[in-house]
Amino acid sequence: MAEVRLRVNGADHPLDIQPQVSLLDALREHLGLTGTKKGCDQGACGACTVLADGERINSCLALAVQYEGAEITTIEGIDHPLQAAFVRHDGFQCGYCTSGQICSAVGMLAEHKEGMPSAVTGQGSGSHLSGAEIRERMSGNLCRCGAYNGIVEAIQEVAG
Amino acid sequence: MRTFSYVRAPDVETALRTIATEPNAKFLGGGTNLVDLMRENIERPDVVVDISRLPLTGIDELPGGGVRIGALVRNSSLAAHPLVRTRYPVVSQAVLGGASAQLRNMATVGGNLLQRTRCLYFYDEASACNKREPGSGCSALGGFTRNHGVLGVSDHCIAAHPSDLCVALAALDAEVEVESTRGTRRIPLTEFHHLPGSTPHVETALAPDELVTSVELPAPVTTRSRYRKVRDRASYAFALVSVAAALEVRDDTVTAARLALGGVAPKPWRATEAERVLLGAPATEESFRSAAEAELASATSQDGNDFKIELARRTIVATLRDLLTDRSAA
């Protein structure tokens, strides 16, 4: 066991955990923050997306111990216009991917604002966050219900 | 996941000393591949040395026009860097064409070089795999081979190398700097990865006690370069075929060509045969097709990946045509 101090949603949490515990399991099983979901547990679906120092990451592929000192933000710590926009645009059906979608979108909007290019940037889209840009930048978040149209509309509305 | 001891290296020296003295230790960078492989019980280190806080995160201009990229630069930082975007568009495009934004925020340059194949038989413990269990056989042969290689493969292994970044680095004559307690050495990227032969478990030239510290790119022969990736969905999928290319044309003649292929070989595949055909040839679709034919002449396929040979030829031609005609690629 190792003592790990995680900083989550603005609060410090000392934890006694083994080094192989993922950030995802630390959040869900040790801190009771079950808003972050476990989908594939192998970095292929994005359901576990959280923000680490403002950047979106897959918490299933992160060892909790490696993120000591980082400012972790989960869906429980997010208060953002995207949340109401997802409701307005039916950006989900079952809701299992939604926490990850919203954390990812928050990170994505910040990346875009800082000038991060994407694989479709430069193909006529300019600096505007087009539907094609949103789909490409959000491709790390799968939705098995197929609510993609609503998700893209919700993000586009907030992005302006 | 099997447990292990976790050591956070405060500096490069400590990291190197730890890896040299611990018999079954692994470096942990971004974790996107290692954590997954440990969870799958494929990687079973006793000690994990976390190097993610080492100061190997610079992207620095070199005298002579090259660039040195620290091994711990995140994929997203590499793709967004102005020097990389202007001098080596193919590198930025290759990175942005790979994985997802979340993974690119975590994954490092050094880790990208060392990522292991996504062959499903390598991952599946019930299957035979000479890479996972030397001498056990290869279940991919006669299996589902849509994602497997057609160049440089052997009777022991037909797995494809998964990296996009490495394909661009192979085309650009990158060199890898590695360090151990024994000293520092440089390995050309094209010699960093091994072909499987009869030892597919030996994947790279890196010794167990060595750490990748940086990747150096020489000054580009041309800034007209591009990465084109063909895959089963529009984003967030490994390449069926990818092409990294740089092309310089003067008076309708090819004066410089750099070409490498991804998704088709056990290592990032520098297309030297194609380059030979292109150099000095008229910059026409016919030359591009001849170059592609020459490169794929030695290809061998299974039922499930036969399509890759023609797909690779066409993707080579299309990428070179893009470079020739699309002014925005310059």
Side-chain angles (χ1 to χ4, degrees), chain A residues 5 13-14 18 27 29-30 50 56 64 66-67 75 80-81 86 98 101 103 110 115-116 118-119 125 127 143:
Chain A
R5 278 183 314 280
H13 300 275
Q18 298 212 298
L27 293 169
E29 310 297 332
H30 296 266
V50 300
R56 50 184 170 158
Q66 197 177 16
Y67 283 80
I75 190 68
H80 194 283
F86 266 63
T98 311
Q101 297 279 1
C103 285
M116 171 67 67
S118 85
S125 55
S127 62
C143 169

Side-chain angles (χ1 to χ4, degrees), chain A residues 30-88:
Chain A
H30 296 266
L31 294 176
L33 294 170
T34 52
T36 306
K37 302 303 184 202
K38 183 182 281 191
C40 67
D41 212 21
Q42 56 178 12
C45 79
C48 68
T49 303
V50 300
L51 302 170
D53 294 326
E55 291 190 344
R56 50 184 170 158
I57 62 165
N58 293 331
S59 61
C60 74
L61 292 181
L63 296 179
V65 63
Q66 197 177 16
Y67 283 80
E68 195 167 37
E71 187 72 52
I72 306 296
T73 307
T74 67
I75 190 68
E76 289 90 345
I78 284 182
D79 180 8
H80 194 283
L82 276 166
Q83 287 153 304
F86 266 63
V87 174
R88 265 198 305 282

Side-chain angles (χ1 to χ4, degrees), chain B residues 282-303:
Chain B
T284 60
E285 189 137 339
E286 206 181 341
S287 303
F288 300 162
R289 181 76 196 179
S290 304
E293 300 276 3
E295 194 59 50
L296 275 300
S298 63
T300 55
S301 62
Q302 312 288 315
D303 287 346

Side-chain angles (χ1 to χ4, degrees), chain B residues 212-224:
Chain B
V212 174
T213 50
S214 69
V215 172
E216 276 190 29
L217 288 170
V221 290
T222 169
T223 55
R224 185 174 285 268

Side-chain angles (χ1 to χ4, degrees), chain B residues 68-91:
Chain B
R68 178 190 290 124
I69 303 158
L72 291 170
V73 169
R74 307 286 158 170
N75 280 192
S76 43
S77 312
L78 177 66
H81 199 280
L83 263 180
V84 176
R85 289 180 74 184
T86 52
R87 283 190 203 169
Y88 312 97
V90 63
V91 170

Side-chain angles (χ1 to χ4, degrees), chain A residues 132-148:
Chain A
E133 278 279 8
I134 292 171
R135 285 174 190 276
E136 166 59 29
R137 289 169 188 264
M138 292 294 293
S139 70
N141 292 85
L142 305 191
C143 169
R144 298 316 302 264
C145 300
Y148 294 112

